[in-house]
Amino acid sequence: MLSARAAAASQSHAASLWKRGGGDAGGGSGCTSCMEVRRRAASVAVRAAPPKRVEAVAMESAAETAHSDKEVALTDGAADEDGPPEEELPVTPWAFSVASGYTLLRDPHHNKGLAFSEKERDAHYLRGLLPPAVVSQELQVKKIMHDLRQYKVPLQRYVAMMDLQERNERLFYKLLIDNVEELLPVVYTPTVGEACQKYGSIFRRPQGLYVSLRDKGKVLEVLRNWPERNIQVIVVTDGERILGLGDLGCQGMGIPVGKLSLYTALGGVRPSACLPITIDVGTNNEKLLNDEFYIGIRQRRATGEEYHELMEEFMDAVKHIYGEKVLIQFEDFANHNAFDLLAKYSKSHLVFNDDIQGTASVVLAGLLSSLKVVGGTLAEHTYLFLGAGEAGTGIAELIALEISKQTNAPIEECRKKIWLVDSKGLIVNSRKDSLQPFKKSWAHEHEPLTTLLDAVESIKPTVLIGTSGVGRTFTKEVVEAMASFNERPIIFSLSNPTSHSECTAEEAYNWTQGRAVFASGSPFDPVEYNGKTYVPGQSNNAYIFPGFGLGVVISGATRVHEDMLLAASETLAEQATQENFDKGSIFPPFTNIRKISAQIAASVAAKAYELGLATRLPRPRDLEKYAESCMYTPIYRSYR
């Protein structure tokens, strides 16, 4: 057995190899000898622990090392139970903390609460630190669900869920996976919107990483403060356009935290591989600037060169620390920055904008699914949007791309089937000189119209899509007009949260005599009309981005291509069944979301390989099975 001094020397040598490039901080393959050195260093570190505690720790360390050996060989369809294979194995110091019972109970990554067995309590010095009862994880889930249902206010459930995540990570994800339909509105829309508005008041423990203007010039140092190095997915926001709630500044952190919870629960990406980040450049929200509980910089929002210099430093630092295979998801940036950032960094980084591309992908899936109900092809329908921002133009472009793919027609011709209405009315050629660049492609030849009702009556669309962020804009007159010339009008009311939805499910079904094919952004309760119960579909981005991210990760993709988004849409559309259509829904139930995410991941990965963007070689024989094998599972591990 090596001495403690020798152990320290071995660890120092492994660390020096890491710094000199023996391991690729971005998830590169790393040489086998370097990985072996790091495994030995981890093993030696355990042996150097106090003799009394060696046995309890070393057995778990050996198990971890066995898992690591398995991961090294994962190129052909098998993966560790906790998620996608790590391409290198940094020294993991948590083995030291497992030896301390008190520390273990306060480590959310390894704490099991009352589920620690009698043997584990003895081995890890937990006697007396827990009540005598030993319970199963299933009973823990039952108890917490009972507690959550006692709360009448959704925000109280959100706070309770966040507390659980900070206390017992695996139990949090087990709870969310097993009760996804009930808890998705709690950790995601619509409750997360209220949570962001009140984030300063409910703030307890920091989640994620905050990069502010005060960190300019040292963003790389800030990123190095994050304890994990094998990051695979980053969700970042600057808080300027949170859902339909506007500028919430630093308090927008609730969005990256919530999104990444779904990456793990629905897409199976390991929690330790996820990093939520908020870029704090100030806020123009006067209420927050005057709120004593506000947690961000108290200044007006930075713009122009100052803003873009910080973003460029951040993007460069991410690539330097984590490499080019980390997926950076832009979330809730305002229009004037969102399009510029996506265009600028899509050529040099693996980037994805959920508001532009993720929303578009799930809505396209809903439209493809709707065709099974209303008939016809995508090219045979006419589309009218209320809202011409990130979501509206992003959806419109993806529809046009899919029509072009199906018909081989030029994309410019396909765009002519799609019309957009913004705050000034129908977007037409006569307005082209005054339009923002991302709207110009949608300016068609038509007389100017100022109201949505006029546009509906003139264009006679078969599909009406709302992305305006303004509630109740699909009035009774508008919906009845849609129903007057469509046997089955397709109406998507997509704005979040529920209060900003263009119309409710009940209004859509009542005003069309139950004939509407309806979907919303936030969830609505089932609606009864003429003795029939309709279960409205939710066009929720959570159908797409977790599986999309998993597909990018397992293929080692280096860029996002539009064909990968189309593949995700087509795969999701295939999951809706006649049983769903009979109930009024064009989307499959969220109870099957892990299976759906695996199928989406396989389709996205296959497209990445086809386009030559995948770097994980050789390609697994069965991508769907490989995706499933890579998915994180929150079942407790046995500590010996």
Side-chain angles (χ1 to χ4, degrees):
M1 181 176 290
L2 295 176
S3 66
R5 180 178 297 177
S10 180
Q11 278 190 298
S12 175
H13 177 60
S16 68
L17 282 174
W18 178 273
K19 291 176 182 176
R20 291 201 305 267
D24 174 6
S29 59
C31 67
T32 305
S33 60
C34 292
M35 286 189 279
E36 180 62 26
V37 168
R38 287 195 288 275
R39 280 198 293 274
R40 287 183 181 178
S43 177
V44 168
V46 171
R47 295 193 190 105
K52 183 179 179 182
R53 298 175 183 254
V54 166
E55 185 178 358
V57 181
M59 292 182 69
E60 178 61 17
S61 178
E64 291 293 316
T65 303
H67 276 296
S68 304
D69 288 333
K70 184 173 69 169
E71 288 178 347
V72 173
L74 284 178
T75 57
D76 206 29
D80 183 80
E81 63 173 347
D82 279 352
E86 298 180 15
E87 295 188 58
E88 78 242 38
L89 186 70
V91 175
T92 51
W94 76 266
F96 289 103
S97 66
V98 172
S100 170
Y102 189 84
T103 304
L104 176 57
L105 293 179
R106 280 150 184 79
D107 177 0
H109 305 303
H110 304 103
N111 178 32
K112 300 197 293 186
L114 290 178
F116 281 110
S117 68
E118 296 286 354
K119 287 184 178 180
E120 289 172 329
R121 296 181 189 208
D122 286 334
H124 295 285
Y125 302 89
L126 299 175
R127 287 287 176 190
L129 300 181
L130 290 167
V134 177
V135 303
S136 66
Q137 191 178 28
E138 288 69 25
L139 186 59
Q140 287 179 314
V141 167
K142 181 179 179 181
K143 176 186 180 298
I144 293 174
M145 284 305 300
H146 174 269
D147 293 343
L148 287 174
R149 288 166 181 152
Q150 306 308 305
Y151 294 119
K152 303 302 180 185
V153 179
L155 187 61
Q156 292 176 324
R157 294 177 186 166
Y158 176 88
V159 171
M161 287 290 288
M162 293 305 102
D163 284 345
L164 176 62
Q165 188 176 20
E166 289 299 317
R167 189 173 70 251
N168 186 330
E169 185 177 80
R170 286 180 181 265
L171 185 57
F172 169 84
Y173 285 113
K174 173 71 171 170
L175 190 78
L176 185 51
I177 291 169
D178 289 355
N179 301 274
V180 62
E181 290 192 313
E182 184 173 352
L183 295 181
L184 190 60
V186 175
V187 300
Y188 194 43
T189 55
T191 309
V192 71
E194 183 183 1
C196 287
Q197 289 177 306
K198 300 175 180 177
Y199 211 76
S201 300
I202 66 175
F203 182 82
R204 284 167 168 75
R205 295 180 61 183
Q207 293 177 296
L209 204 59
Y210 295 85
V211 177
S212 75
L213 284 172
R214 296 173 186 170
D215 303 316
K216 201 171 180 182
K218 49 187 177 183
V219 173
L220 192 61
E221 297 174 33
V222 173
L223 290 182
R224 282 185 171 136
N225 288 339
W226 190 251
E228 302 289 344
R229 281 291 175 269
N230 189 28
I231 298 299
Q232 295 168 328
V233 181
I234 290 173
V235 175
V236 59
T237 186
D238 71 353
E240 188 169 6
R241 201 227 64 182
I242 298 298
L243 300 176
L245 303 170
D247 187 350
L248 298 184
C250 194
Q251 297 190 168
M253 179 58 93
I255 296 296
V257 169
K259 290 278 185 179
L260 286 169
S261 295
L262 300 187
Y263 260 110
T264 296
L266 311 187
V269 180
R270 289 179 296 106
S272 61
C274 298
L275 174 55
I277 296 179
T278 290
I279 307 289
D280 184 4
V281 294
T283 179
N284 294 333
N285 188 322
E286 293 291 345
K287 183 178 179 181
L288 290 179
L289 290 173
N290 296 318
D291 183 351
E292 62 179 328
F293 299 128
Y294 180 57
I295 60 176
I297 296 177
R298 294 178 186 274
Q299 69 170 60
R300 305 289 294 180
R301 183 172 284 275
T303 58
E305 187 176 348
E306 184 180 19
Y307 176 88
H308 287 287
E309 283 179 352
L310 180 63
M311 286 302 303
E312 186 166 355
E313 183 183 354
F314 166 73
M315 295 298 289
D316 289 345
V318 166
K319 197 168 185 177
H320 181 85
I321 290 277
Y322 305 118
E324 67 173 348
K325 289 185 286 185
V326 61
L327 176 63
I328 304 170
Q329 178 171 312
F330 294 124
E331 196 69 42
D332 287 356
F333 285 77
N335 290 343
H336 56 272
N337 288 322
F339 289 100
D340 289 345
L341 290 172
L342 184 61
K344 179 178 181 179
Y345 292 109
S346 61
K347 299 177 181 64
S348 58
H349 292 68
L350 181 64
V351 294
F352 168 71
N353 186 302
D354 190 41
D355 305 300
I356 299 173
Q357 298 167 297
T359 299
S361 188
V362 73
V363 173
L364 176 58
L367 291 173
L368 292 172
S369 180
S370 299
L371 297 180
K372 300 173 187 177
V373 178
V374 301
T377 66
L378 210 61
E380 292 171 343
H381 287 268
T382 303
Y383 308 85
L384 178 63
F385 286 76
L386 177 62
E390 295 171 58
T393 56
I395 298 166
E397 184 67 13
L398 204 64
I399 293 172
L401 284 168
E402 181 69 12
I403 293 174
S404 178
K405 177 184 173 183
Q406 292 180 4
T407 63
N408 292 319
I411 186 71
E412 294 77 15
E413 288 298 314
C414 299
R415 290 189 182 117
K416 293 179 180 178
K417 299 287 295 181
I418 304 167
W419 300 81
L420 278 70
V421 173
D422 64 7
S423 59
K424 295 180 175 60
L426 188 67
I427 294 178
V428 293
N429 275 336
S430 60
R431 293 179 52 196
K432 206 163 189 176
D433 291 342
S434 62
L435 291 173
Q436 294 167 283
F438 60 87
K439 295 182 182 181
K440 291 182 184 292
S441 299
W442 309 104
H444 307 318
E445 194 60 50
H446 198 283
E447 62 178 317
L449 299 172
T450 56
T451 70
L452 176 62
L453 180 59
D454 288 341
V456 168
E457 291 177 337
S458 176
I459 294 169
K460 292 183 167 46
T462 54
V463 180
L464 179 64
I465 299 175
T467 61
S468 64
V470 182
R472 305 302 181 267
T473 43
F474 288 176
T475 62
K476 184 177 182 181
E477 291 76 17
V478 166
V479 174
E480 286 181 341
M482 284 289 295
S484 68
F485 49 77
N486 289 300
E487 178 61 29
R488 299 297 304 273
I490 299 174
I491 299 175
F492 286 6
S493 175
L494 302 179
S495 293
N496 293 312
T498 310
S499 59
H500 290 201
S501 186
E502 285 77 11
C503 71
T504 67
E506 185 175 16
E507 289 168 343
Y509 291 124
N510 284 337
W511 294 340
T512 63
Q513 296 80 48
R515 292 186 283 119
V517 178
F518 178 81
S520 59
S522 290
F524 281 103
D525 292 332
V527 175
E528 187 171 335
Y529 180 81
N530 272 358
K532 181 177 179 180
T533 299
Y534 297 86
V535 181
Q538 187 185 356
S539 182
N540 193 322
N541 290 18
Y543 276 115
I544 289 288
F545 70 80
F548 183 86
L550 180 63
V552 168
V553 168
I554 65 173
S555 64
T558 55
R559 297 290 181 270
V560 169
H561 191 279
E562 59 197 22
D563 285 353
M564 295 159 69
L565 297 166
L566 294 177
S569 298
E570 292 162 4
T571 302
L572 176 58
E574 291 168 1
Q575 309 310 309
T577 65
Q578 188 60 47
E579 182 181 356
N580 304 137
F581 301 146
D582 291 342
K583 294 178 180 178
S585 178
I586 53 174
F587 292 99
F590 266 106
T591 50
N592 299 328
I593 189 61
R594 298 265 290 190
K595 179 69 173 176
I596 293 169
S597 291
Q599 292 172 328
I600 290 173
S603 298
V604 170
K607 188 58 67 173
Y609 280 106
E610 180 184 323
L611 296 168
L613 298 173
T615 61
R616 189 181 296 282
L617 300 172
R619 169 178 168 161
R621 286 190 295 267
D622 188 326
L623 281 170
E624 186 176 336
K625 285 184 178 179
Y626 182 64
E628 289 176 347
S629 72
C630 287
M631 296 176 83
Y632 166 87
T633 54
I635 304 303
Y636 286 145
R637 282 185 172 182
S638 177
Y639 302 154
R640 292 167 287 173

